[in-house]
Amino acid sequence: MTMEFIDFVNAHKDEDTARLLLSAGRYPSIDMPATVQQIEGLRAAREKWPSLLQYEEFLYPPRLNREQASSETTARYKAQLIAAIAQQPTIADLTGGMGVDSMAFASVAARVDYVERDPQLCSLMEHNCRVTGLQNVGVSCADSLEWLAKSQQKVDILFVDPARRSASGRKVSAFEDCEPDILQHLPLLRSLSGLLLVKASPMIDIDLACRQLGHVSDVHVVAVRGECKEVLFLCRAEADSHRIHCVNLKGDNAVRDFAFSREEELSALPSFCTSTGRYLYEPDAALMKGGPYNLICQWFGLEKLGRNTHLYTADRLVADFPGRVFEVLSGLKAGRKDIAAAVSEGKAHVVTRNYPVAAADLQRQLGLKEGGDLFVLATTLGSSRKLFLCRQVG
């Protein structure tokens, strides 16, 4: 990297990158594809890795690697999780990629082995470690499983984040469809570490994954500002049962961990309502993925709308409920005239939960435009389909 390159990126970082590529002939001394890659990386960093912006010489990888990389928020959570398990452990990141997780691990580890088979990514990681001053990260350009088998290097924690795209570029979630397929190599992984941390897709089947991996002690369902981002499986050699942690990370780094076991959920008796109270409660993405649907009734003193309707109700307002809270203004009929009379400006957000019509389709059917501060919530109460006019209060 030269100062000319840095200065050019900074001077053009707010310009249209497509136009820059077309104007490459005007700047023969500038590698324009690399410049565009850097500019787009800087733009992604504003939201995804804001602390990296302090390093002017940090180099960003191609778009696919940026998309697959952890956010700064989730990487920090994993580092905190590791710090709570072991003091200054040795860690091997077997699917290095952009290196965001490895850099976060370096803050709590004695040593991190970053292993990646793509030479370009390894070169970027070596450069970025120098730029950020990380001295406890070793970069190995190799197939991670071959590296493990050859080195037989034992570490305190093995971290693996299998690539979740097929050869054709289709997104996949099941372990056996990812690269590498860690299920085939569990004996090797377990022989070299007593702790295995696996990052999986938010679409993963948690119960199936636990059976496949075996010896899972903890599952962390991690959401950021209400959107489920990843599911983490912590495997320990001695574990014969697991707890599920539903975590929603917010901008202030606050962590609310709702932990439970499947046995606790199955033994919990839900309370069902016959009519809605003043408020409707929609759990956040982490709870919806983790599935403590019966326990939510007990935790917050709420009633459930139906066995398969994961909405809850009460006449009282529950402070700090982990999710959205709606005040029910009235019931609605699904006819356009009734909707037009209730929603005077013709604008409302449509939400469907356990309802046979998708939200976008129902919005068109009702003749509503997106916007405003009103919500039409369509759901199933008991065995009846219902529409409610609501206003969000939390």
Side-chain angles (χ1 to χ4, degrees), residues 68 161-166 170-173 178 199-202:
Q68 293 177 335
D161 174 14
R164 295 185 291 276
R165 287 185 184 270
S166 66
R170 180 176 59 88
K171 289 185 178 181
V172 296
S173 59
C178 296
K199 174 183 168 183
S201 163

Side-chain angles (χ1 to χ4, degrees), residues 51-340:
S51 70
L52 295 182
L53 295 174
Q54 66 184 295
Y55 304 107
E56 193 176 48
E57 296 182 31
F58 192 95
L59 292 177
Y60 296 90
R63 179 179 60 84
L64 180 60
N65 303 112
R66 297 195 304 268
E67 290 177 350
Q68 293 177 335
S70 295
S71 69
E72 182 177 307
T73 302
T74 58
R76 187 185 301 116
Y77 179 79
K78 288 192 282 288
Q80 293 170 348
L81 178 62
I82 286 173
I85 296 170
Q87 186 175 4
Q88 289 289 298
T90 55
I91 304 171
D93 181 350
L94 300 181
T95 44
M98 180 176 166
V100 176
D101 287 317
S102 285
M103 289 186 285
F105 296 157
S107 66
V108 300
R111 176 179 171 81
V112 177
D113 284 297
Y114 162 101
V115 187
E116 170 58 54
R117 63 186 180 184
D118 185 326
Q120 181 186 8
L121 292 177
C122 290
S123 178
L124 288 177
M125 187 62 178
E126 289 177 332
H127 169 86
N128 289 333
C129 284
R130 289 193 297 270
V131 167
T132 56
L134 293 177
Q135 298 181 350
N136 61 338
V137 178
V139 176
S140 296
C141 189
D143 177 275
S144 58
L145 296 170
E146 293 178 0
W147 178 83
L148 275 178
K150 182 177 180 180
S151 68
Q152 289 293 304
Q153 180 171 321
K154 292 191 175 184
V155 295
D156 296 318
I157 300 172
L158 288 176
F159 173 70
V160 60
D161 174 14
R164 295 185 291 276
R165 287 185 184 270
S166 66
S168 63
R170 180 176 59 88
K171 289 185 178 181
V172 296
S173 59
F175 288 137
E176 57 266 32
D177 296 327
C178 296
E179 174 62 32
D181 175 2
I182 62 171
L183 299 180
Q184 293 185 12
H185 303 281
L186 283 174
L188 172 63
L189 298 174
R190 290 202 173 102
S191 70
L192 296 176
S193 179
L195 288 170
L196 174 64
L197 181 61
V198 181
K199 174 183 168 183
S201 163
M203 301 302 294
I204 195 82
D205 182 322
I206 292 176
D207 294 332
L208 174 60
C210 286
R211 292 194 298 270
Q212 290 176 320
L213 290 172
H215 302 289
V216 176
S217 66
D218 297 271
V219 180
H220 292 255
V221 182
V222 182
V224 179
R225 291 188 292 273
E227 182 181 354
C228 191
K229 291 295 186 179
E230 58 193 48
V231 180
L232 306 172
F233 297 86
L234 181 63
C235 306
R236 305 174 191 249
E238 70 278 8
D240 57 8
S241 63
H242 64 272
R243 293 184 68 76
I244 300 173
H245 305 258
C246 300
V247 178
N248 187 22
L249 305 177
K250 298 184 179 180
D252 59 0
N253 296 324
V255 176
R256 296 190 70 186
D257 182 350
F258 295 93
F260 66 100
S261 68
R262 282 288 184 235
E263 292 74 22
E264 291 170 344
E265 166 63 13
L266 290 171
S267 63
L269 297 177
S271 301
F272 295 105
C273 65
T274 55
S275 62
T276 58
R278 181 178 177 182
Y279 298 102
L280 286 172
Y281 295 85
E282 179 190 43
D284 66 27
L287 287 169
M288 292 291 278
K289 177 63 181 179
Y293 305 126
N294 298 338
L295 286 167
I296 288 173
C297 294
Q298 295 184 8
W299 290 342
F300 303 103
L302 303 175
E303 293 183 315
K304 207 166 185 283
L305 269 64
R307 188 165 300 279
N308 296 314
T309 302
H310 306 315
L311 290 174
Y312 303 79
T313 190
D315 280 323
R316 62 188 177 84
L317 183 61
V318 176
D320 296 326
F321 178 79
R324 292 195 293 182
V325 183
F326 300 94
E327 182 180 12
V328 179
L329 303 177
S330 66
L332 292 172
K333 294 183 179 180
R336 282 202 175 203
K337 289 184 178 180
D338 298 287
I339 296 295

